[in-house]
Amino acid sequence: MNKGLKRAGLGLVGTAVAGAAYVFLSPKPTSRLVKTSFAGGNEVAIKGFDEVVQKTSVRKDIDYHSAYENGTFDLIRYEGEKQIVPTIFWVHGGSFVGGDKADVFKYATSIASNGYNVVSVNYALAPDVTYPVPLQQLEEAYTYIAENNDRFRLDLDRVFFAGDSNGAQLVAQFVGIQLNDDYAPSAEVNQVVPKTSILGTILMSGPYDLKRSIIESSKAVNRFLFKRIGWAYFGTYNWEDLPVVAEASPLVNIPATFVPTFITDGNTGSFETQAKEFATILSGRADVTSVFYDRNEHTLGHDYHFEMDKPAASATYRRLITFLRETTR
């Protein structure tokens, strides 16, 4: 064999080996892949979205002066007849490594059009940051608004916290911290939201036991992905049995006190079993609205609720608006 070709062949083999080693020795390649898969989200606008937009206004990319990257939020304001309306803080998903507030814009706008102001929060992504930075950024965003509310004119006496996918996990943990002393001390998140002001939570397609998300996955590729997502978020390869993982899992670290909750998930390739268990546990602490569907009637995937061209998503949206209205005081 020509020496040049041999060297080229060895170089290609070496590159392939190095690339494969990088995938196994770092969470970054998988994180980039997952982040790319989430780009743009899966939103389908509600029918009549143009009319919805007319009832709202939006200010995008407001800097909440975070100590970390991605410290901005969008403020989607209701512009109807009501002068004072409740505030919803929304935390997007993306498996801790991807996603963006832009991915929930249409859904959040649709909710706002019913008489709510929505604060849609961005936060830094793993592996550039690790636990508990996103939780701390949610505290930063709330605190910034509270300290500058003469600019925003939001009702902070009536607030909801909402999240989808890993955003639901972040919300469940954050609200648990606000309501329960010493609930998650490793997170170093302060109790900045008055307990009496939190009207409820909205939890959509969230994982509530992060270790089980690997164990219960039926596909090897998903186990591979979840292993590396956890590695990215918690900063170590063997993360499953770390104390902070149990601390961040509301099905393990069960909050003693909670608030009225709306909870839903798809029935295929998501965390429905965990959501149902969490709904049962929370029902002993507060009013819970659970929305789940029979797989024989509807096959619904992760974050199905954003696909508003599907009957089940439309039905879930209507029940969510009813929950908000019945919970608002």
Side-chain angles (χ1 to χ4, degrees), residues 6 18 29 38 56 63 73 95 97 115 121 125 167 189 211 222 240 245 251-252 258 263 273 275 281 290 303 309:
K6 182 180 289 187
F38 277 101
T56 64
D63 188 349
F73 65 88
S95 295
V97 300
V121 183
L125 303 175
V189 172
K211 178 179 178 179
N222 287 340
E240 296 93 324
V245 176
L251 270 175
V252 179
F258 217 67
I263 187 166
T273 299
I281 290 171
S290 301
D303 275 349
D309 55 342

Side-chain angles (χ1 to χ4, degrees), residues 130-133 135-136 173 177 182-190 234 242-248 253:
T130 56
Y131 177 87
V133 169
L135 283 167
Q136 294 171 340
Q173 187 178 3
I177 292 170
D182 299 320
Y183 173 71
S186 296
E188 298 182 350
V189 172
N190 298 304
F234 291 107
L242 293 174
V244 292
V245 176
E247 178 180 89
N253 184 25

Side-chain angles (χ1 to χ4, degrees), residues 14-27 29 228 231:
T15 300
V17 170
Y22 185 43
V23 169
F24 283 93
L25 296 177
S26 169
R228 277 147 184 80
W231 183 6

Side-chain angles (χ1 to χ4, degrees), residues 85-97:
V85 299
T87 303
I88 301 172
F89 286 82
W90 196 289
V91 183
H92 71 78
S95 295
F96 301 108
V97 300

Side-chain angles (χ1 to χ4, degrees), residues 141-160:
Y142 177 89
T143 300
Y144 178 78
I145 290 173
E147 292 177 348
N148 296 275
N149 205 24
D150 55 331
R151 289 174 50 198
F152 302 116
R153 297 176 288 109
L154 296 177
D155 184 355
L156 296 183
D157 293 326
R158 297 180 299 165
V159 299
F160 293 87

Side-chain angles (χ1 to χ4, degrees), residues 42-47 107 110-111 204-205 262 264-267 291-293 297-321:
N42 67 326
E43 279 193 308
V44 177
I46 193 172
K47 185 177 181 180
Y107 200 78
S110 298
I111 293 173
M204 297 179 142
S205 294
F262 181 95
T264 188
D265 203 343
N267 50 38
V291 180
F292 301 105
Y293 294 90
E297 298 177 5
H298 301 274
T299 301
L300 304 170
H302 186 69
D303 275 349
Y304 78 92
H305 46 271
F306 287 141
E307 300 173 30
M308 292 291 286
D309 55 342
K310 293 183 178 179
S314 296
T316 297
Y317 173 79
R318 290 192 296 271
R319 293 190 65 178
L320 171 57
I321 299 305

Side-chain angles (χ1 to χ4, degrees), residues 5-16:
L5 289 176
K6 182 180 289 187
R7 284 195 296 269
L10 290 173
L12 289 173
V13 171
T15 300

Side-chain angles (χ1 to χ4, degrees), residues 216-238:
E216 294 177 348
S217 179
S218 60
K219 295 182 178 180
V221 65
N222 287 340
R223 292 194 294 273
F224 179 88
L225 291 174
F226 290 149
K227 176 72 173 179
R228 277 147 184 80
I229 289 168
W231 183 6
Y233 186 50
F234 291 107
T236 185
Y237 180 76
N238 292 316

